[in-house]
Amino acid sequence: MHLNGTGHRETTLAGSRQTHVAQSPQRWLRGWKIVSRLRLIVAAPLVAVLGFAGLALGTSATQAQRAAVLGDLVALGAEAGDLAFSLQCERADAATMMTVDPSGHLDPFLRQTAITDRAINRFGQLRRELDSAPARIGPILHRIESGFAGLTALRQQVRSATTGAVSAVTFGYRILIADLLAYRAAMAQTGLSEDLVDRLRAAVVLSDAIEYAGQEQVAVISAVAGGQLTRAMQQTITTARTGYTEASLSFLKLAPPDWQVWWDRADSGQEALIAQRLQDRVGRVAPGSEMGLDGIEWEDRTEEWFAQLFTVQQQVDAALLDDVSTARSTQLHEVWLNVAGVTLAVLLTLLVTTAVARQVRRQLHRLREAANTVAFNRLPAVVHELRTAQPGSLRPDEVASRSTTLVRSAFALSQSGTDEISEVAQAFAEVHRAAVRTSAEQAIMRANMAEIFIHLSRRGQRLVDAVLAQVDVVERDETDPDRLRLLYELDNLATRMARINASLLVLGGVGIGRIRSADVPVSKILQAALSQIQHYTRIRFGVVDQNLTVVSEAVDDIVHLFAELMDNATMYSPPDSEAWVTARALGDRVIVQIGDEGVGLPAHRREQLNELLRRPPAVDVATVRSMGLVVVGHLAARLGAHVELRTGPRLGTIAEVTLTSEVFRGLS
């Protein structure tokens, strides 16, 4: 339902008062307060400088702290990479020992476990030196430490297990290696800049590439021990090879040029070429066929290639440590520069503040006091006087001149004042004069417009009453149904014209002037409102309390209010839909609801219209052009009622009117 009220509001000057603190009689105290306030005004930029400088220093210090934490995390991450590589080598030795050479490969396995234990000790020492770590890294470190605790049992299983348990053993190593690589991945999310984050991610995918190659190495060893290549084993080898390729491409995409050179050397050297030829032989083996490959040779050649890749990883980790150290030094340097800049800015601001405070004259205090008096006392008083004065007694020039004279006396102005503060006071007085004159002219214009509304409405009402009387005479003697229908339509049209005239009276600030001799039942009130709208056939009455009557003094105003809301409900909803009306007593008040099945109102528009109903605007051109809800708001204020628009249960809008017991009888 689109309502024909407007959301325009007249802005008026608030009459709020400001309490002024009395000045101390001692001149030195009074002068000290003025200087202090002036310094406070000038010191506002200083506070802002200190605030923003504090933010900048805090940000820089935080960045420096992050760089320090990141340095510890990267150092631990480098050790995690070394430990992961040691575990990968130990895993390969374990797989070879369990499948290819159980007796002859024990010594290499034990040597590798010793290397791994030293790496674990170094990792544990760095872990204990790590003061703080992000929350997401703590659980990963806990899992790694738990994996260390189970490593002894896993090694014992390697020395005593059969060939069939190789997959379980290698999976145990894989879990611990995955946790170490997960730590490196979590570390990569703590970068200080986008470039550094890319470098950390490059180090992570490099570790992933080495792990994929290690998984392929173990899978081939298991296939060699099994005698033939199964489809499941082929799928495992292919998946690992694909993972290695994707991780390699990701590394080359993220890595800086010098890292790419390191990778190219490791991936194209003699060791890499030999490993590549062996991988090609593995790739040509069909499922169900024998591998035709020496497991010991495969492990040795691939470990030589892994060693070259691990060398690249160590170079990358060392470069990352250098980058983080450089970033930390840069952040610390920036912190000291910010401290020096803030100190200099504060000193300069203090000097300027002192100089400005000494140069500002006492007249500023007088100007402030006078401006407060005019703004918070004199101008609101003048506006109130204009609102309450009789229209014919207002003379805009006279009111403006009288008020300006008082303002000039408040500023202690003379026509000879030529300094800057006097010029400001002169301008303030002229602004006050213009504001008072404009307010007086608007008050006269509103009063004149209200008078015009009243005179036009009364003249129009007399003509409408005459038309209605003539229509009544003709209706009594008419027997032709078609003509009688036309007369009824004419009667309804004249009644609607009478409602418009009544609306003009409401906007003019006067009542309809008709006095009823008796109270009227609410059902008849609704029927009377129904007769004043165009689409009266589309109104459906719901539950209406029959024992309610409206006091005689409020009958016409309530009929008018309901008619405006019913007209809105039918005019701005689909022509084939119905609008409904209910009226019921609720405690000490009466609730009347008028709803439709239109498209409804957006929330912001409904709030605007509810505000208009709560505070209807004064008379202006907009209220005449679309005055439905404006009239409803004025009538509600006159009756002490509350009108609110709400969303319907399914469609449309509900206009809910709450009337107090002062205008109804029969309330329980």
Side-chain angles (χ1 to χ4, degrees):
M1 152 172 131
H2 299 288
L3 301 172
N4 57 355
T6 62
H8 297 286
R9 183 186 305 167
E10 178 182 346
T11 303
T12 60
L13 294 175
S16 59
R17 297 177 177 270
Q18 174 177 336
T19 302
H20 301 289
V21 180
Q23 294 287 343
S24 174
Q26 290 84 3
R27 289 189 176 183
W28 68 270
L29 182 59
R30 183 170 63 249
W32 180 83
K33 285 185 177 180
I34 295 173
V35 172
S36 297
R37 293 179 183 182
L38 290 175
R39 287 177 177 173
L40 181 61
I41 293 173
V42 181
L46 175 61
V47 174
V49 168
L50 290 174
F52 286 113
L55 291 176
L57 287 175
T59 302
S60 299
T62 301
Q63 290 291 89
Q65 179 64 26
R66 286 183 59 193
V69 172
L70 182 59
D72 295 338
L73 294 176
V74 170
L76 185 61
E79 196 58 49
D82 292 350
L83 178 55
F85 181 74
S86 297
L87 288 170
Q88 289 163 352
C89 294
E90 183 177 328
R91 177 180 59 186
D93 288 335
T96 302
M97 177 179 170
M98 295 175 68
T99 59
V100 179
D101 188 10
S103 59
H105 214 75
L106 177 61
D107 290 340
F109 174 73
L110 294 177
R111 284 195 297 273
Q112 185 58 45
T113 57
I115 295 173
T116 303
D117 289 339
R118 289 194 293 272
I120 291 175
N121 291 333
R122 292 194 302 271
F123 182 88
Q125 182 178 357
L126 289 178
R127 171 67 182 93
R128 289 188 293 273
E129 293 175 357
L130 185 64
D131 295 331
S132 61
R136 62 180 177 276
I137 291 180
I140 300 175
L141 293 175
H142 181 71
R143 292 200 306 269
I144 292 173
E145 292 169 351
S146 300
F148 292 162
L151 190 58
T152 301
L154 188 64
R155 290 169 175 173
Q156 183 62 34
Q157 188 177 359
V158 171
R159 289 192 291 268
S160 61
T162 61
T163 303
V166 65
S167 59
V169 171
T170 56
F171 184 76
Y173 280 103
R174 182 174 178 179
I175 292 299
L176 182 54
I177 294 170
D179 288 336
L180 291 168
L181 298 184
Y183 168 79
R184 289 173 65 87
M187 173 196 69
Q189 303 176 24
T190 320
L192 299 174
S193 63
E194 183 176 352
D195 181 63
L196 186 55
V197 168
D198 287 342
R199 289 172 177 251
L200 290 169
R201 290 170 57 197
V204 170
V205 295
L206 175 59
S207 300
D208 292 339
I210 296 175
E211 170 58 11
Y212 280 123
Q215 292 175 12
E216 181 187 12
Q217 179 192 42
V218 173
V220 171
I221 292 173
S222 298
V224 170
Q228 62 180 3
L229 180 66
T230 64
R231 290 192 178 275
M233 192 61 67
Q234 184 189 46
Q235 181 65 34
T236 302
I237 295 172
T238 302
T239 301
R241 188 60 183 168
T242 302
Y244 170 80
T245 302
E246 292 176 353
S248 301
L249 294 175
S250 298
F251 173 78
L252 294 174
K253 182 178 180 181
L254 295 171
D258 51 343
W259 293 11
Q260 296 177 14
V261 172
W262 298 340
W263 172 267
D264 290 338
R265 290 174 181 172
D267 200 41
S268 60
Q270 183 66 28
E271 296 82 358
L273 293 177
I274 294 174
Q276 180 64 45
R277 285 196 293 269
L278 293 175
Q279 288 175 333
D280 292 341
R281 288 177 57 186
V282 172
R284 289 192 294 269
V285 177
S289 302
E290 294 185 358
M291 292 296 295
L293 191 70
D294 185 356
I296 301 297
E297 180 185 8
W298 165 260
E299 181 196 3
D300 292 341
R301 297 298 174 261
T302 51
E303 281 192 1
E304 292 173 356
W305 174 44
F306 294 166
Q308 298 299 317
L309 297 180
F310 178 63
T311 301
V312 177
Q313 178 179 298
Q314 289 179 315
Q315 291 175 312
V316 166
D317 289 341
L320 284 175
L321 285 172
D322 290 341
D323 291 341
V324 174
S325 177
T326 302
R328 182 182 182 185
S329 300
T330 302
Q331 293 295 334
L332 289 175
H333 182 68
E334 183 176 344
V335 168
W336 287 114
L337 285 179
N338 287 337
V339 169
V342 169
T343 303
L344 181 60
V346 170
L347 292 176
L348 291 176
T349 305
L350 288 174
L351 291 175
V352 172
T353 300
T354 303
V356 171
R358 290 177 178 176
Q359 293 176 2
V360 175
R361 302 177 181 179
R362 277 185 160 183
Q363 289 174 302
L364 185 59
H365 175 261
R366 184 186 304 169
L367 177 65
R368 185 198 63 186
E369 293 298 327
N372 286 334
T373 301
V374 171
F376 297 105
N377 298 102
R378 297 191 184 278
L379 186 57
V382 172
V383 172
H384 179 71
E385 177 186 353
L386 294 175
R387 286 184 173 275
T388 57
Q390 295 296 326
S393 64
L394 292 178
R395 300 290 185 273
D397 290 331
E398 180 181 343
V399 174
S401 298
R402 184 174 67 253
S403 179
T404 304
T405 300
L406 295 176
V407 171
R408 288 183 176 276
S409 64
F411 282 116
L413 288 176
S414 63
Q415 298 297 331
S416 59
T418 56
D419 60 287
E420 292 83 356
I421 297 179
S422 296
E423 291 175 357
V424 173
Q426 294 277 7
F428 192 91
E430 291 302 320
V431 170
H432 176 79
R433 176 187 178 89
V436 171
R437 178 180 175 83
T438 301
S439 298
E441 291 175 347
Q442 289 181 350
I444 293 173
M445 182 172 61
R446 285 194 297 270
N448 291 338
M449 186 176 294
E451 288 293 327
I452 291 173
F453 286 174
I454 294 171
H455 288 301
L456 289 177
S457 175
R458 287 175 176 169
R459 288 189 178 186
Q461 188 62 46
R462 285 195 292 270
L463 295 176
V464 170
D465 290 341
V467 170
L468 288 173
Q470 292 297 323
V471 170
D472 289 341
V473 171
V474 176
E475 283 178 347
R476 285 196 295 268
D477 299 332
E478 184 60 56
T479 59
D480 187 340
D482 293 334
R483 292 185 179 179
L484 191 60
R485 179 179 55 80
L486 293 176
L487 289 174
Y488 285 160
E489 292 180 359
L490 182 60
D491 184 282
N492 177 259
L493 181 61
T495 303
R496 286 152 48 201
M497 293 174 61
R499 177 166 59 88
I500 294 175
N501 287 328
S503 296
L504 293 177
L505 286 177
V506 172
L507 295 179
V510 299
I512 298 175
R514 186 180 304 165
I515 300 177
R516 302 282 177 173
S517 59
D519 299 342
V520 179
V522 68
S523 58
K524 291 187 177 181
I525 292 290
L526 295 174
Q527 290 291 343
L530 186 65
S531 67
Q532 295 184 11
I533 68 173
Q534 179 180 2
H535 303 290
Y536 55 88
T537 59
R538 290 169 49 199
I539 295 293
R540 171 176 54 85
F541 289 132
V543 177
V544 178
D545 287 353
Q546 300 299 324
N547 62 336
L548 297 176
T549 58
V550 179
V551 298
S552 57
E553 296 84 357
V555 167
D556 289 301
D557 285 342
I558 293 180
V559 169
H560 192 179
L561 186 148
F562 288 166
E564 291 290 348
L565 294 176
M566 289 181 185
D567 189 54
N568 280 327
T570 56
M571 289 291 292
Y572 298 100
S573 60
D576 57 346
S577 65
E578 288 185 338
W580 50 267
V581 180
T582 63
R584 63 186 185 279
L586 184 63
D588 60 346
R589 59 192 184 277
V590 173
I591 305 296
V592 179
Q593 291 186 334
I594 301 172
D596 62 64
E597 296 182 358
V599 297
L601 288 168
H604 71 280
R605 180 57 177 161
R606 185 172 60 255
E607 181 57 33
Q608 290 176 353
L609 296 178
N610 282 327
E611 178 66 19
L612 180 142
L613 289 169
R614 289 190 292 268
R615 298 180 181 84
V619 177
D620 58 15
V621 177
T623 59
V624 180
R625 186 165 49 242
S626 52
M627 58 186 176
L629 286 188
V630 179
V631 172
V632 171
H634 283 290
L635 289 172
R638 183 183 301 171
L639 294 167
H642 176 72
V643 183
E644 182 179 5
L645 302 178
R646 297 191 293 104
T647 303
R650 295 190 306 273
L651 296 172
T653 301
I654 297 175
E656 184 175 275
V657 184
T658 303
L659 296 166
T660 63
S661 59
E662 297 177 356
V663 296
F664 271 90
R665 303 191 196 280
L667 293 174
S668 57

